[in-house]
Amino acid sequence: MARSTKGLYKRGHVWWMTYCDAIGTQRFESCKTSNKKDAEHRLVDRRKEAQEGLLPAAPIKPLSLDELQQRYLDVVGHQRGVATKQIHFAHFARVWGNPLIHTLTVEVLDQYRGHRRGEGVGPATINREMATLKHALSKAVEWKLLRKTAREELTAIRKYQEPDGRLRYLSGEAEAERLLQACGDALRPLVVTALHTGMRKGELLGLTWDVVDMTHGFIRLKQTKNGKARALPFNETLWSLFSGLRTRQDVPWVFHDAEGRRHKDIRLPFDGACEGAGLTDFHFHDLRHTFASWLMMRGVPLATVSNLLGHTSPTMTLRYAHLSPTHLTSAVRVLDPHSDRSLDSYLTIQPKQTPEAVFVSVQHDGVETHKYLARSGERELVPKAGFEPAHPCGR
């Protein structure tokens, strides 16, 4: 074993160092290099740490991907998205097996992403999988189970460019009427409620009668996607629907099957209704797009639509604020000099238009919401499809 000065010596081709740590204990540590200059720099760093009172980091026991999964899911098990994270780890195990987590380099992760793209998986899904893995590895660093440098190297991986959000929504009342007519008796109330409130599928399936305030005309959601409570006003169409919908006092769910059990999934009946209505590439969440898009096209302010959708920022509502090609075409036609609504007509003061819908601010339990008021003779947001109001909503 060849020795050298300054606390360095060689074992084979690799330099080692010996020094006294902060409490005076002699340490022997590999410099992990065959270059003497690099070894000297490492020794200087160790001696500086000893002078500052820093102890060398304890050796880390190698941790497998399976062990990381168990520890990580135990910590995040209370989160709503834990089921999705479990699916992500299942894909990691299928592709990688059970490697040690410190071997998950940038190259390994890039190979995984290429493999998933080859399986036809979209960029958004792969980005979510990588986010789960990176978060789990960050937790491993916090738990002193992985070197911080190993996790920091993965920042070199950039997200895939994701496509723009879906723009599919019902183009008009004709499509909505066809869809409602194609729905069965159990599905139709769900679809009508989605079109009139913009609620998410999970919020609708979990809706209970205790949060439906028939006296004041509000649905007071306690559990939402962003974790914040939300109060939704409902109009006469929904007041009439809810008034005749509850037939069993022993069932807490607003929407349930014949046995009184909460609907677990409605994808198959909804897909069948879309097929019967001749709608292609239309999903249940697109009813929420429809709600927001129709409100925007009827002149409801962006901030109000954002409030109704439960978004934390109006900027999140912009993807729902798109207009149909017909409306865009009508907009540019104002530049046509032969048009009744030409640009010249907009250069003079126009009479104030009466809005089709009015939302007033309502305070209840310290929460400000916006209540929908229907004007006399106003057309409904969507066809009533048999749910005519029994009497006024004013209560």
Side-chain angles (χ1 to χ4, degrees), residues 48-214:
K48 182 179 179 180
E49 291 172 357
Q51 292 175 355
E52 295 174 353
L54 301 177
L55 292 173
I60 294 179
K61 178 184 177 181
L63 188 72
S64 69
L65 181 64
D66 184 60
E67 292 172 323
L68 174 64
Q69 175 184 352
Q70 295 176 13
R71 289 173 178 261
Y72 177 68
L73 294 181
D74 285 343
V75 172
V76 301
H78 65 283
Q79 298 179 0
R80 289 193 300 270
V82 65
T84 302
K85 295 179 185 296
Q86 290 174 335
I87 295 174
H88 294 168
F89 272 100
H91 287 301
F92 299 151
R94 177 177 59 83
V95 176
W96 286 329
N98 188 29
L100 298 177
I101 61 174
H102 70 268
T103 65
L104 300 178
T105 62
V106 173
E107 181 182 6
V108 173
L109 267 60
D110 277 338
Q111 290 175 350
Y112 173 85
R113 297 201 302 170
H115 179 84
R116 293 288 281 153
R117 289 302 296 269
E119 294 179 337
V121 180
T125 299
I126 298 175
N127 287 342
R128 305 301 175 271
E129 293 174 356
M130 290 294 99
T132 295
L133 180 62
K134 289 182 179 180
H135 187 238
L137 294 176
S138 295
K139 285 296 181 182
V141 172
E142 294 179 12
W143 301 330
K144 308 300 182 184
L145 301 174
L146 181 69
R147 297 290 186 195
K148 185 177 180 180
T149 54
R151 170 61 182 86
E152 290 175 344
E153 289 178 358
L154 301 183
T155 58
I157 296 179
R158 297 288 180 253
K159 289 183 178 180
Y160 281 133
Q161 181 67 36
E162 298 182 15
D164 294 334
R166 287 174 50 83
L167 302 179
R168 183 69 168 99
Y169 61 99
L170 297 176
S171 60
E173 294 182 354
E175 279 194 337
E177 185 175 2
R178 293 204 315 268
L179 175 60
L180 292 171
Q181 290 178 350
C183 291
D185 293 339
L187 181 61
R188 189 177 299 112
L190 265 165
V191 175
V192 171
T193 306
L195 285 171
H196 282 262
T197 64
M199 292 172 63
R200 301 177 179 89
K201 182 171 68 172
E203 296 171 344
L204 287 166
L205 296 181
L207 189 63
T208 54
W209 285 112
D210 63 307
V211 300
V212 179
D213 185 352
M214 296 293 291

Side-chain angles (χ1 to χ4, degrees), residues 209 245-252 256-261:
W209 285 112
L245 193 60
R246 190 168 193 179
T247 58
R248 294 181 55 176
Q249 297 297 320
D250 60 324
V251 177
H256 56 82
D257 60 17
E259 286 74 30
R261 296 171 300 192

